[in-house]
Amino acid sequence: MGAHTRRSAAITRAISRGLDGENEHAEQGKWSRAVKRVIEFFSIFHLDLDRYRGDDFYALRHDFWDLDEDEYIESFRSRAGDDARDAGQQSDERLIPAGNLGYSGSTFFHTSNSKYLVKSLDRSFENEFFMHELFEPYAAYIKSHPNSLLNRITDTMYAPRSTLGSIFGIQPRHYIIMENLLHGQDGGEDGARWETYDLKPDDYFFPERDIAEGRLAPDSVKDRLIDQFNDELRVPADMKQLLTDICTEDTSFLASSNVVDFSLFLARYPIYATDDSAAETSSIAASAKQSPSWRTGVLSTDGKWVYRAVLLDFLWAKHKLHPKFMSGLIGAFNIFFKKGPMTITTEPLEYSGRFMRMVDQLLKEGDEGREAGTSAG
């Protein structure tokens, strides 16, 4: 078993044990626990995870998001379990590695039913900000804004004790569990038709794109900088207004929490009808038509697409040490080169303003496209 596989397997087991409330040391004596903890300290991959503010997250899941708790916990259990692993059998893990996404270095997993994502928080300023500063305002805001599109963080897990693996950055100590906007996407031909767009204002300074006309960075890096949605957003006028209203409230909350660099994650998938997916697609389309929601699905006016959207990556707080360092560095750079702020160094109110102009433009282009089509007809 390779190092990457061992690392992933250890995280999977730790998440499952932590959500089940299992404590490997509960049945051991004092000295046995002490010896085992010393041994675990020298481990590279081992993890013991506890829930952070478990009762508060339970209240969000149960009282405000109406998640079935048994189904939620079951999503993270392996079908074969630890006994099968001990016997050398292959277990059917419920957490599937999704690789390293973005620039944060985080590791992602998704449950096999695709309903939830696990994301490691490798950067200390992010986990410290969320756990000790943002969580209480976030929970209060969610309770008072049931239609919020802030991505639903359903649990936070942390390792209360360091190991050599965590000290050297091999095994992260902090994880968040989130609802997965792409639930329902399979890995076959139909799943490949899903389109995703991680949208941020594109009029900021991006060093990879804007220094030396982009010649210093490969296309593979520049292609990951920022997405463009180059089509019309064909949805009813009331759903466009709803998206504007919700994003206005959500971005105002994030600005009040000193957050920048968040994005609008937009997904769409076609209303197709293959033999394998016709029934499910028909059900999704009917639901999107009867009770549309940007979180669960909005049917396009031409009946060809279902759209979903949430706000992601709201853990970059301007007042934390690393963001302050980056702001100072770019500020010094701009004394000579006048490139302007980056998404991670701008002011929160300024970022939320540009973000809303991006949303308005996204919706406006859809209106202009429909008007042009009507005039042409």
Side-chain angles (χ1 to χ4, degrees):
M1 182 183 293
H4 182 74
T5 302
R6 291 176 61 193
R7 177 178 182 267
S8 297
I11 293 173
T12 296
R13 291 195 295 270
I15 293 288
S16 180
R17 288 198 309 266
L19 291 178
D20 274 333
E22 295 180 8
N23 185 341
E24 288 192 333
H25 306 292
E27 302 300 323
Q28 298 173 350
K30 178 180 178 180
W31 288 107
S32 296
R33 291 197 302 270
V35 170
K36 188 162 187 178
R37 284 176 179 172
V38 169
I39 295 172
E40 289 171 354
F41 173 79
F42 291 97
S43 170
I44 298 299
F45 299 107
H46 180 84
L47 272 177
D48 278 331
L49 295 177
D50 289 344
R51 273 174 155 165
Y52 174 76
R53 306 276 298 255
D55 291 341
D56 295 311
F57 276 108
Y58 175 81
L60 288 176
R61 293 193 304 272
H62 185 265
D63 298 335
F64 296 93
W65 295 332
D66 296 322
L67 300 182
D68 183 277
E69 191 67 10
D70 291 337
E71 181 184 55
Y72 174 70
I73 297 299
E74 186 63 25
S75 298
F76 298 88
R77 289 179 179 149
S78 60
R79 291 189 177 93
D82 290 336
D83 291 340
R85 270 187 298 273
D86 294 339
Q89 301 171 10
Q90 176 128 15
S91 67
D92 186 1
E93 296 288 1
R94 291 293 179 94
L95 284 182
I96 302 169
N100 297 324
L101 307 177
Y103 288 93
S104 67
S106 296
T107 300
F108 287 79
F109 299 82
H110 63 83
T111 55
S112 62
N113 61 11
S114 81
K115 289 187 176 181
Y116 302 99
L117 287 172
V118 176
K119 176 184 179 181
S120 68
L121 297 183
D122 300 51
R123 302 187 293 200
S124 60
F125 69 89
E126 287 187 330
N127 61 65
E128 289 173 1
F129 172 64
F130 179 68
M131 293 171 67
H132 303 302
E133 296 185 47
L134 186 64
F135 174 68
E136 287 192 2
Y138 169 82
Y141 181 80
I142 292 298
K143 293 174 182 178
S144 61
H145 294 75
N147 292 323
S148 170
L149 288 178
L150 297 181
N151 201 31
R152 292 176 174 176
I153 299 176
T154 59
D155 255 311
T156 296
M157 313 288 292
Y158 71 102
R161 293 174 295 277
S162 297
T163 65
L164 286 183
S166 64
I167 291 172
F168 288 110
I170 298 172
Q171 199 70 304
R173 291 180 62 185
H174 298 84
Y175 301 83
I176 55 175
I177 299 173
M178 309 172 287
E179 279 194 324
N180 182 14
L181 188 72
L182 303 182
H183 66 84
Q185 180 186 28
D186 61 33
E189 179 183 351
D190 292 338
R193 300 184 186 183
W194 287 51
E195 299 176 6
T196 61
Y197 304 89
D198 192 11
L199 302 173
K200 296 180 182 180
D202 64 357
D203 53 351
Y204 281 102
F205 168 48
F206 293 92
E208 300 89 341
R209 180 193 67 186
D210 300 329
I211 294 180
E213 298 181 347
R215 292 191 296 270
L216 301 182
D219 290 339
S220 59
V221 172
K222 289 182 287 187
D223 289 343
R224 294 171 58 196
L225 282 178
I226 191 166
D227 290 339
Q228 299 284 346
F229 183 72
N230 296 317
D231 198 0
E232 301 171 19
L233 196 62
R234 306 177 184 91
V235 296
D238 60 331
M239 298 309 299
K240 290 189 175 185
Q241 187 61 51
L242 180 62
L243 181 62
T244 299
D245 293 344
I246 295 175
C247 285
T248 298
E249 293 182 341
D250 287 351
T251 55
S252 295
F253 164 73
L254 293 175
S256 71
S257 300
N258 221 21
V259 175
V260 295
D261 200 40
F262 49 87
S263 61
L264 177 70
F265 187 66
L266 178 70
R268 72 174 183 177
Y269 50 95
I271 299 298
Y272 44 79
T274 65
D275 292 341
D276 295 333
S277 62
E280 181 178 358
T281 300
S282 177
S283 175
I284 292 174
S287 176
K289 186 174 182 179
Q290 295 170 5
S291 56
S293 160
W294 281 103
R295 188 179 297 277
T296 59
V298 174
L299 186 64
S300 65
T301 52
D302 59 9
K304 295 181 179 180
W305 297 94
V306 171
Y307 294 91
R308 293 177 183 171
V310 292
L311 269 66
L312 287 179
D313 296 334
F314 41 82
L315 298 182
W316 188 281
K318 280 296 298 296
H319 58 277
K320 304 303 287 184
L321 182 60
H322 183 69
K324 287 173 67 176
F325 170 77
M326 290 298 299
S327 296
L329 185 64
I330 297 302
F333 176 86
N334 278 320
I335 292 175
F336 302 98
F337 297 99
K338 309 297 183 185
K339 292 291 187 178
M342 298 172 61
T343 59
I344 60 174
T345 66
T346 189
E347 293 303 312
L349 284 175
E350 200 272 346
Y351 185 79
S352 63
R354 289 203 203 187
F355 186 91
M356 286 309 305
R357 287 195 291 275
M358 178 197 73
V359 173
D360 291 341
Q361 186 63 32
L362 177 70
L363 300 177
K364 181 181 178 182
E365 287 177 353
D367 288 336
E368 290 174 347
R370 187 161 57 253
E371 289 169 3
T374 302
S375 300

